[in-house]
Amino acid sequence: MSFVAQWDPKALWGHFDTLLTIPRGSKEEQRIREYVLSVASRQGLEVQVDATGNVVVRKPASPGREGAAITVLQSHLDMVNEKNADVEHDFSRDPIQPRLEGEYLTAQGTTLGADNGIGVAAMLAILEDRTLVHGPLELLFTVDEETGLTGARGLDGSMLRGRRLLNLDSEEEGTVTVGCAGGADTEIFLPLETLPAPSRAQAYQVQLSGLHGGHSGLDIHLQRGNAIQLLARMLHSVRPGTPGYMAAFEGGNKHNAIPREARATVVIPEGQAAEFLRHMDNEFARVWEEYRRVEPDMRLEVSEGPPPPKIWSTDSAWTVFRLLVALPHGVAAMSHDIAGLVETSSNLAVVRTEGETLRVLTSSRSAVASALEWIRSKIRAVALLAGARVEEHEGYPGWKPDVDSPLLKLFQEVHRRVTGTEARVVAVHAGLECGIIGEKVPGMDMISFGPQIEFPHSPRERVKVASVERFYRLLTALLEEMATR
Ligand SMILES: [Zn+2]
């Protein structure tokens, strides 16, 4: 037992202390699931596990509250296993070592697993508490949230009878989350016409780098540069008639990251390189001027490289530039319901030259299903205009904010009473399990809230200790209030 087991609320921290000793990386939830099942069976509660490994524990209402509507509580069982390079730690075996750092609990060089371990521990505490006043509860523990929400995706929605859900996976005290974005990727395959490279020519590698990048959803509103689009724009703007042939274009590496780097292979006839390089320098200077505040470290580097066997035809090169310049990137629409929230966006994420094909990956997001379709149809239209083939991957649904939700109103009342402050209503431009659960269980009224957790998914992850007690008090007060309706 570690020092955290002594903290209040004891039931919650006691379970969290045990969680620190149970390996629970994504897709390795076997042991943590057994722990949840053992706690439930000690209480004699009914449990159900679906084919994906998600668990529902049913806890009957406290005496006299049987008539209240069912409330679903939800947290995910898995955590992100990350450690500092200089730390010896085997996540499949070693317990996480908690460390108190001022008013925060953190771990020794590893992630702490407060995301979403505090939520899991709170639910286990509620499950065991015989004095709490509440209506009928369904406690849903999902698996594998952190690597693509696959637990929620595989959820058997028929396990849930309740139609109001409290997700406990939020990380900012004082806020309540009421929406998230859905997302879907589109792949574009553009055929390239190639020719033998000219013999008296020099090949250059033109590289744009030093951009910030960031998360394609959570950082898209920052309007940082997209290396792919900016390099394509510079090459596209180089005055027609300037000598040079394209032979390759590459950039980006993940669908959910804004590309930080892009490079092109350009072949220039002997004696004409200086003119091309001067044009590129001018174009870079113009772009840098536009982006200098957000991308001060952006740089363009040109180096001589080995000559490629083939070059693209002039028509193909123009088509590539036009495609990359025309594809949407960035914020496409802001929410009308929540000020400052990005509703729809797209990320021009990855470009690769694969033989005679240019492959482009884009990733789009929206809280509104029809708007996601709209931005994807725009991408498809641009690609088809360029003569490319399009593959649209299956996406995941968003959660459109419902600012008139009865559950939200109730939460706001209880929040005001318990904390003396107004809860800030927010939505995130990224995927959450609620988006998927809402699709699996139509008519589910949902909100998400939690304690103050900072730097999740990194070895700096920490939870503000006092916020956990306040979170639990808020949660139990809310359950008590919900037991009356
Ligand atoms: Zn989480």
Side-chain angles (χ1 to χ4, degrees):
M1 226 166 54
S2 84
F3 60 92
V4 308
Q6 307 307 317
W7 289 343
D8 280 326
K10 279 221 170 51
L12 187 161
W13 283 113
H15 283 297
F16 187 74
D17 187 52
T18 308
L19 259 53
L20 292 172
T21 66
I22 302 176
R24 55 193 172 97
S26 301
K27 305 193 198 314
E28 288 158 14
E29 295 93 353
Q30 181 72 15
R31 278 174 280 188
I32 179 74
R33 181 171 43 244
E34 275 162 18
Y35 179 65
V36 169
L37 293 175
S38 73
V39 174
S41 89
R42 269 204 304 276
Q43 300 300 317
L45 298 175
E46 182 194 334
V47 297
Q48 215 178 333
V49 182
D50 69 13
T52 309
N54 301 301
V55 177
V56 173
V57 180
R58 284 176 229 288
K59 186 177 187 200
S62 43
R65 308 299 171 135
E66 296 81 359
I70 299 170
T71 296
V72 183
L73 294 174
Q74 189 246 323
S75 293
H76 62 83
L77 292 172
D78 62 317
M79 67 174 274
V80 174
N81 289 340
E82 280 289 334
K83 67 179 194 73
N84 287 329
D86 60 348
V87 174
E88 287 282 332
H89 187 93
D90 180 351
F91 279 104
S92 71
R93 196 191 59 210
D94 300 339
I96 287 165
Q97 300 295 333
R99 186 164 64 87
L100 189 62
E101 180 191 81
E103 48 184 344
Y104 290 89
L105 181 69
T106 184
Q108 315 259 29
T110 69
T111 38
L112 175 65
D115 166 20
N116 189 192
I118 297 290
V120 169
M123 283 165 57
L124 293 173
I126 284 166
L127 192 158
E128 285 180 331
D129 194 316
R130 288 163 186 262
T131 62
L132 218 64
V133 177
H134 57 78
L137 301 179
E138 291 176 333
L139 299 110
L140 169 62
F141 300 87
T142 49
V143 293
D144 196 25
E145 187 266 355
E146 301 285 7
T147 61
L149 311 173
T150 68
R153 285 189 206 220
L155 173 71
D156 175 359
S158 71
M159 292 197 297
L160 298 175
R161 295 171 206 147
R163 286 297 178 274
R164 47 188 195 175
L165 179 143
L166 309 177
N167 169 291
L168 308 180
D169 189 24
S170 281
E171 284 146 6
E172 198 182 343
E173 193 182 20
T175 69
V176 56
T177 302
V178 299
C180 77
D185 292 353
T186 302
E187 262 188 295
I188 298 167
F189 300 87
L190 178 71
L192 299 166
E193 199 177 71
T194 61
L195 309 164
S199 51
R200 297 162 67 79
Q202 175 62 52
Y204 291 89
Q205 174 99 216
V206 181
Q207 173 158 311
L208 185 69
S209 63
L211 288 89
H212 275 108
H215 187 273
S216 68
L218 302 176
D219 296 323
I220 201 78
H221 66 287
L222 300 173
Q223 316 225 56
R224 291 172 178 159
N226 175 322
I228 292 171
Q229 201 150 50
L230 291 178
L231 182 59
R233 169 183 160 182
M234 289 177 214
L235 290 163
H236 177 262
S237 315
V238 167
R239 204 181 50 199
T242 303
Y245 305 96
M246 288 293 301
F249 195 107
E250 322 273 334
N253 51 34
K254 278 165 100 177
H255 80 120
N256 61 354
I258 299 166
R260 288 180 290 114
E261 292 186 3
R263 61 212 155 264
T265 306
V266 184
V267 176
I268 311 208
E270 230 168 53
Q272 299 183 303
E275 194 187 346
F276 171 81
L277 297 176
R278 196 172 55 244
H279 281 300
M280 286 303 286
D281 277 347
N282 288 342
E283 286 306 322
F284 176 72
R286 281 148 49 97
V287 167
W288 193 82
E289 199 54 45
E290 288 172 31
Y291 282 88
R292 55 196 250 175
R293 285 222 182 276
V294 284
E295 301 291 3
D297 302 324
M298 175 167 66
R299 59 187 180 273
L300 185 73
E301 285 158 321
V302 180
S303 54
E304 292 189 10
K310 298 214 162 171
I311 56 166
W312 300 349
S313 73
T314 308
D315 278 354
S316 274
W318 277 114
T319 308
V320 167
F321 297 148
R322 288 173 185 146
L323 173 66
L324 297 179
V325 164
L327 280 171
H329 173 84
V331 175
M334 300 296 290
S335 166
H336 300 298
D337 295 313
I338 295 184
L341 173 69
V342 176
E343 187 167 273
T344 306
S345 75
S346 206
N347 180 37
L348 172 50
V350 182
V351 176
R352 291 286 180 270
T353 305
E354 293 174 352
E356 316 245 302
T357 305
L358 186 87
R359 207 174 106 212
V360 181
L361 177 67
T362 69
S363 179
S364 308
R365 299 174 190 270
S366 182
V368 182
S370 59
L372 183 61
E373 273 174 43
W374 164 73
I375 187 99
R376 296 186 85 194
S377 72
K378 194 164 172 159
I379 291 164
R380 183 172 60 236
V382 171
L384 295 178
L385 281 171
R389 185 169 65 79
V390 177
E391 271 181 27
E392 294 182 309
H393 301 186
E394 201 191 325
Y396 55 90
W399 170 23
K400 187 180 188 308
D402 175 9
V403 288
D404 301 318
S405 144
L407 180 55
L408 174 62
K409 289 226 156 56
L410 187 61
F411 176 84
Q412 286 172 307
E413 270 171 43
V414 174
H415 190 278
R416 203 173 294 134
R417 176 158 56 75
V418 173
T419 72
T421 61
E422 289 293 325
R424 205 158 61 85
V425 179
V426 301
V428 293
H429 192 57
L432 297 177
E433 290 178 302
C434 286
I436 295 160
I437 295 170
E439 192 192 53
K440 298 250 173 200
V441 189
M444 188 72 98
D445 191 1
M446 304 177 285
I447 57 168
S448 176
F449 63 103
Q452 184 72 22
I453 295 171
E454 294 165 12
F455 316 117
H457 305 180
S458 84
R460 294 171 68 201
E461 180 185 2
R462 60 184 199 173
V463 60
K464 197 175 206 171
V465 177
S467 78
V468 173
E469 186 173 8
R470 290 191 290 262
F471 158 69
Y472 195 66
R473 210 179 323 129
L474 180 63
L475 173 60
T476 50
L478 183 60
L479 289 178
E480 190 167 337
E481 191 60 42
M482 290 170 89
T484 65
R485 43 192 104 191

